[in-house]
Amino acid sequence: VCSARKGGNCEEIAERVLETLGEKGVETELVRLVDYEIKPCHRCDYECFREEFACPIRDDVPLIWGKLAEADGIIIATPTYYGFVPAILKAFIERAQGTLRWVTVELRDLEGVWRGKPTLVIVVSDGGGDMVADWLRGVLREASVRFWHVSYTKLGRPGHLGGLIDLPELSSRVKEESEELYRELMSRRGPQR
């Protein structure tokens, strides 16, 4: 969840998807970026471009990228701020270069984290949702991504008030998206599991 607000629309929607998956026996974990220390790139000497060095910034970014790398599927729920992604998501993504390139052999490339994984991106916005979805399509180019733009204007309720999950049309769509993500996850497992 990439919102700066705990308990908001993004979190409520993501929690409902995870709840549906959990009822089907899928192990889930909700990760709120605001619960972690995430610093943007700053004052570096491009250590991340040299194999012998790693990103000099010490925070929780490697931990979160590690969780994403281990996951079988990913849900990204993000609002838009002034028509673009929240600063915390932008900082997290831009730090991938330094974090994924050299921290460990297993985490050498961003595409390796997403490659082929079922990924549901939920963009909750009034404006800018399409632009954010396009930007994330570029970032997630190796993933098996489905985008869902939740426009609270179309739902007829201001987003800042929260509670979009209580709208029957949104709740119904959450169930549909959860079922589709479950099918994708199960198809990746194959007949051996």
Side-chain angles (χ1 to χ4, degrees):
V1 174
C2 307
S3 176
R5 176 173 65 156
K6 289 186 181 185
N9 292 310
C10 291
E11 186 170 328
E12 288 179 339
I13 293 168
E15 281 180 333
R16 186 71 58 88
V17 173
L18 294 176
E19 180 181 302
T20 302
L21 293 172
E23 289 169 357
K24 295 179 173 294
V26 176
E27 182 181 336
T28 66
E29 178 181 0
L30 180 73
V31 175
R32 286 182 214 89
L33 293 184
V34 297
D35 290 342
Y36 295 87
E37 184 179 8
I38 298 173
K39 299 175 186 175
C41 291
H42 66 284
R43 296 188 198 163
C44 73
D45 191 26
Y46 291 114
E47 291 92 340
C48 57
F49 287 97
R50 296 191 303 268
E51 187 168 357
E52 67 275 11
F53 297 106
C55 179
I57 299 170
R58 299 294 170 241
D59 62 7
D60 295 325
V61 169
L63 171 70
I64 302 167
W65 278 113
K67 289 175 181 284
L68 292 174
E70 291 174 7
D72 291 328
I74 299 168
I75 301 163
I76 299 172
T78 184
T80 62
Y81 294 158
Y82 289 95
F84 202 61
V85 295
I88 195 166
L89 176 57
K90 174 72 170 64
F92 176 70
I93 295 289
E94 82 182 14
R95 289 281 307 291
Q97 175 65 39
T99 302
L100 300 178
R101 171 73 47 123
W102 307 123
V103 170
T104 67
V105 172
E106 294 79 28
L107 292 177
R108 283 189 181 253
D109 67 301
L110 176 60
E111 287 78 19
V113 171
W114 309 106
R115 190 173 292 115
K117 285 185 184 180
T119 303
L120 173 61
V121 175
I122 305 163
V123 180
V124 180
S125 73
D126 183 19
D130 293 333
M131 187 173 79
V132 167
D134 288 344
W135 183 77
L136 286 169
R137 273 186 190 92
V139 171
L140 304 171
R141 63 186 168 271
E142 295 289 332
S144 173
V145 182
R146 277 193 345 281
F147 286 88
W148 173 24
H149 179 194
V150 177
S151 170
Y152 43 85
T153 300
K154 290 180 182 174
L155 291 169
R157 179 182 279 180
H160 70 279
L161 297 177
L164 294 180
I165 195 70
D166 298 328
L167 299 173
E169 60 268 39
L170 185 66
S171 187
S172 172
R173 178 74 187 268
V174 166
K175 184 153 182 60
E176 291 170 19
E177 293 293 340
S178 302
E179 294 291 339
E180 182 59 31
L181 185 57
Y182 178 75
R183 281 190 290 276
E184 289 178 31
L185 287 167
M186 293 303 103
S187 71
R188 278 180 48 95
R189 287 189 174 184
Q192 71 275 12
R193 288 186 180 177

